[in-house]
Amino acid sequence: MTHIWAVWLALLLDRLLADPRRFHPVCWIGQMIAYMDRRFNKGRWRKGKGVFTLFVVCTFTFVMSYALIASAYRLSLIVGVFVEAIIIFTSIAPTSLAKAAYDVLDPLKRGNIDEARKNVAMIVGRDTEKLQEDGIVRACVETVAENTSDGVTAPLFYAFLGGGALAMLYRAVNTCDSMLGYKNERYAQFGWASARLDDAFNYVPARLTACVMLLIHRANIRMWKLLFRDARNHPSPNSGWCEAAMAALLGVQLGGVNTYNGVISVRPTIGDASVPLKCEHIKQAVAIMRRTTIAFTIGGSLLAVACTWG
């Protein structure tokens, strides 16, 4: 039951404060990963060194989070719930995700495509210098869809399972993947374990989030068929689920051709282009993300209560 109160308080803190720019645990995790990267990502046995890096970062994050929460609960129930809520709060980012999306939407509405390109480049890895409005919107909508799970519901899922310590463990795994899980010469070996573990951690939350997304919006049979048809049309085994659900609800087509460092990447499309991509789809995607977050939290709370009283 304490996890439930901590989760709801964490969502309230996120709504009021968004991501703190200073003293953020994820920044400390990132610094640790960067140090391990510099220290070990060279020479022989890079795959083994990557496994060691992942183990050190995840173990340290989980043990420190668990010790802090356990110490707080020893002081009092109220202190424990508050400290756990703060830790869960630092593992989620619905308000920051919405703000990042609106930072792209606002200049598009003003007709300032250069500013929109600059802002969308801060949240995607593809080249954005030549993107037109539809390409900018597609990049932003894909990011909102993918991060509905990665940045919101997945850490909430683990918070319900094991409290703030497990949520922070998820965030450590996800950060390792974000920093090391690239399929290039430098990270193909060293980041292998991080990418695989992140895939495993996101397997259930991604699919659950996509289903919740469609359920709460009363999706029709065609939308459900589209989800299961196109969810695998993505290089990631998990990201395509939320993107397919988002595409189905908006009636747009995601995926396709992107450019990374000047190299063209052609991916399968996701969804049917029933309507062309417009800037208003960013606003709609954010609204879907927010409703999904609340529904996911309500559902998790009810299940936790049922398990507690069962």
Side-chain angles (χ1 to χ4, degrees), residues 55-268:
F55 175 79
V56 169
V57 171
C58 292
T59 300
F60 180 82
T61 300
F62 180 80
V63 170
M64 291 299 293
S65 301
Y66 184 86
L68 182 59
I69 293 169
S71 299
Y73 274 111
R74 288 192 189 99
L75 294 176
S76 76
L77 181 64
I78 294 176
V79 173
V81 169
F82 185 72
V83 169
E84 185 170 21
I86 291 175
I87 289 177
I88 296 171
F89 155 60
T90 61
S91 74
I92 61 175
T95 299
S96 294
L97 179 58
K99 182 182 181 302
Y102 273 95
D103 285 344
V104 177
L105 173 61
D106 292 341
L108 279 179
K109 284 185 172 181
R110 300 194 306 269
N112 191 339
I113 196 166
D114 288 333
E115 184 181 351
R117 288 169 177 158
K118 178 182 176 181
N119 291 346
V120 80
M122 300 178 69
I123 58 174
V124 298
R126 71 197 66 177
D127 299 338
T128 62
E129 296 84 358
K130 298 180 181 180
L131 291 181
Q132 299 303 313
E133 179 178 325
D134 60 340
I136 295 171
V137 171
R138 177 166 69 85
C140 189
V141 169
E142 287 172 355
T143 296
V144 172
E146 180 179 350
N147 283 284
T148 297
S149 178
D150 286 3
V152 187
T153 57
L156 290 176
F157 175 83
Y158 287 104
F160 280 119
L161 279 182
L166 200 57
M168 283 306 297
L169 174 61
Y170 167 81
R171 182 51 59 209
V173 171
N174 190 249
T175 306
C176 283
D177 177 61
S178 297
M179 296 180 66
L180 308 176
Y182 298 102
K183 296 179 180 179
N184 55 29
E185 184 178 354
R186 177 173 175 79
Y187 292 110
Q189 296 295 312
F190 190 73
W192 172 84
S194 296
R196 298 289 78 76
L197 188 59
D198 184 72
D199 288 343
F201 263 67
N202 279 295
Y203 188 89
V204 173
R207 288 154 179 76
L208 189 58
T209 301
C211 291
V212 170
M213 199 179 284
L214 292 188
L215 281 171
I216 65 170
H217 291 93
R218 299 179 181 178
N220 55 37
I221 296 298
R222 183 187 65 81
M223 293 177 182
W224 283 99
K225 287 182 178 179
L226 189 151
L227 171 66
F228 291 103
R229 186 194 75 189
D230 291 351
R232 295 175 179 82
N233 290 354
H234 195 282
S236 164
N238 300 313
S239 298
W241 285 85
C242 288
E243 287 192 20
M246 186 71 76
L249 290 171
L250 296 178
V252 301
Q253 189 172 84
L254 304 176
V257 180
N258 296 320
T259 304
Y260 298 90
N261 297 318
V263 179
I264 295 176
S265 172
V266 181
R267 299 177 178 178

Side-chain angles (χ1 to χ4, degrees), residues 235-304:
S236 164
N238 300 313
S239 298
W241 285 85
C242 288
E243 287 192 20
M246 186 71 76
L249 290 171
L250 296 178
V252 301
Q253 189 172 84
L254 304 176
V257 180
N258 296 320
T259 304
Y260 298 90
N261 297 318
V263 179
I264 295 176
S265 172
V266 181
R267 299 177 178 178
T269 57
I270 295 175
D272 297 326
S274 301
V275 295
L277 283 157
K278 297 293 183 182
C279 63
E280 284 303 310
H281 287 124
I282 296 176
K283 182 178 180 180
Q284 294 171 20
V286 170
I288 290 171
M289 179 272 292
R290 284 175 167 160
R291 288 192 288 266
T292 302
T293 299
I294 296 301
F296 195 95
T297 307
I298 292 172
S301 299
L302 292 175
L303 284 174

